[in-house]
Amino acid sequence: MARFELAAALRTKRAIALVAIYLVVSLFGMNSTITVLGKMEDQLAGILHVETVEGKSGVVSAALWKSRPFQKIAHSVVGDSLVYDDIVGRHPAELIYAWMVFLCVPFLSILASCRRVADDVSSGAAKFVLLRVTRLQWTVGKFLGQSFLILSGLILGALGAWCVAAFRLSGADIPALLPAMILWSFKAWFLSLAWLGVALGISHLSTSGSKAQTLSLGLLVAFAIAPRVLKLYADTVVGAKLQVLKMLFPSVMEDALWRASPGPVAAGAVWLLAIGLMWLSFGHLIFTRRDVR
């Protein structure tokens, strides 16, 4: 069922377009950021007394990241001391890609999968498939097939971003950026599993792909705002009791994926998978009571 879903997704222009758009965003984002860093280098080369390479960027930006004033600024932006300790000293291009992939993954996951179930039910394709498999198998197959599609898009984006970095940047550590970017893609993939569960869970509730997409994007915005609202009221009696609800939102676990230690990353990945399966199960339970004929 997962292979069937992956093949069906690849046959649709929508899936191919989304993967292509993500690849373009990765290429354009990396290239634009390196251009900005290059302009910074022109101003900072004299101050830092670092020799630049003509036509290349990256030497000064790496030195800038290692400078004490810049590290203090970065520490205040990151906030979490454990996360900062794990990312300090890493190549700026690697961190740029990590930030970019974590930013794009929720949108990629939602847009790639939010219409899959609703469209199949609306077109009548679901009733033919459900003659051969159970509804649970169909739901799990949808989840696995879409997850493999998203993973392939993330890996392709990492390869594209690295090619841009290798062409634009200088330094002996450029080859090491490729495995680092692929690792960040795998970490972001676990974040995508949570959003994938949300999107597919919502898609099980509707027979209209447009309605499922609108509701999924609405939840994306709501899930981004809700943890911040809960944090604002954390000092109140009611707010303190509601803090446990933050664990239901995928964005809360992003800090765990930024860690370098396997323990926190594994814990965050397992919890994100659990969040995705929870929302998927919610949609599936309602779907089992619906007539798709």
Side-chain angles (χ1 to χ4, degrees), residues 76-94:
S76 64
V77 172
V78 172
D80 192 325
S81 297
L82 294 176
V83 174
Y84 173 78
D85 291 340
D86 284 342
I87 67 174
V88 65
R90 293 178 178 268
H91 198 285
E94 175 188 343

Side-chain angles (χ1 to χ4, degrees), residues 114-123 202-216 290:
C114 63
R115 302 176 64 104
R116 292 297 301 159
V117 176
D119 283 345
D120 282 357
V121 173
S122 177
S123 66
I202 296 301
S203 191
H204 277 74
L205 307 180
S206 177
T207 57
S208 170
S210 299
K211 291 181 179 179
Q213 178 173 305
T214 300
L215 184 55
S216 297
R290 289 176 52 193

Side-chain angles (χ1 to χ4, degrees), residues 42-246:
D42 294 337
Q43 302 296 324
L44 296 172
I47 299 175
L48 295 176
H49 302 289
V50 178
E51 184 179 357
T52 60
V53 179
E54 185 177 358
K56 294 282 188 176
S57 302
V59 177
V60 176
S61 56
L64 174 65
W65 173 250
K66 297 176 183 178
S67 66
R68 189 176 298 274
F70 189 82
Q71 289 182 359
K72 289 182 179 180
I73 297 174
H75 189 277
S76 64
V77 172
V78 172
D80 192 325
S81 297
L82 294 176
V83 174
Y84 173 78
D85 291 340
D86 284 342
I87 67 174
V88 65
R90 293 178 178 268
H91 198 285
E94 175 188 343
L95 299 178
I96 290 167
Y97 177 75
W99 174 82
M100 184 171 57
V101 71
F102 280 120
L103 179 65
C104 293
V105 149
F107 296 96
L108 177 64
S109 304
I110 292 290
L111 294 176
S113 58
C114 63
R115 302 176 64 104
R116 292 297 301 159
V117 176
D119 283 345
D120 282 357
V121 173
S122 177
S123 66
K127 63 183 180 182
F128 296 105
V129 179
L130 292 175
L131 292 174
R132 297 170 175 82
V133 297
T134 66
R135 296 196 181 198
L136 179 59
Q137 290 172 333
W138 191 60
T139 297
V140 175
K142 289 281 186 183
F143 183 81
L144 293 177
Q146 289 295 316
S147 67
F148 293 145
L149 174 65
I150 294 172
L151 178 60
S152 63
L154 292 175
I155 297 299
L156 186 62
L159 293 174
W162 179 81
C163 289
V164 173
F167 180 74
R168 295 288 310 276
L169 296 176
S170 61
D173 53 351
I174 298 301
L177 286 178
L178 180 58
M181 288 180 175
I182 292 178
L183 178 60
W184 284 113
S185 294
F186 272 104
K187 288 183 177 182
W189 181 61
F190 286 106
L191 177 61
S192 75
L193 296 180
W195 290 110
L196 179 60
V198 172
L200 285 177
I202 296 301
S203 191
H204 277 74
L205 307 180
S206 177
T207 57
S208 170
S210 299
K211 291 181 179 179
Q213 178 173 305
T214 300
L215 184 55
S216 297
L217 291 175
L219 284 179
L220 175 62
V221 176
F223 284 5
I225 296 175
R228 292 172 172 80
V229 174
L230 290 173
K231 185 177 181 180
L232 289 176
Y233 294 95
D235 296 333
T236 64
V237 176
V238 177
K241 294 180 179 180
L242 293 177
Q243 292 305 303
V244 67
L245 295 178
K246 292 195 302 183

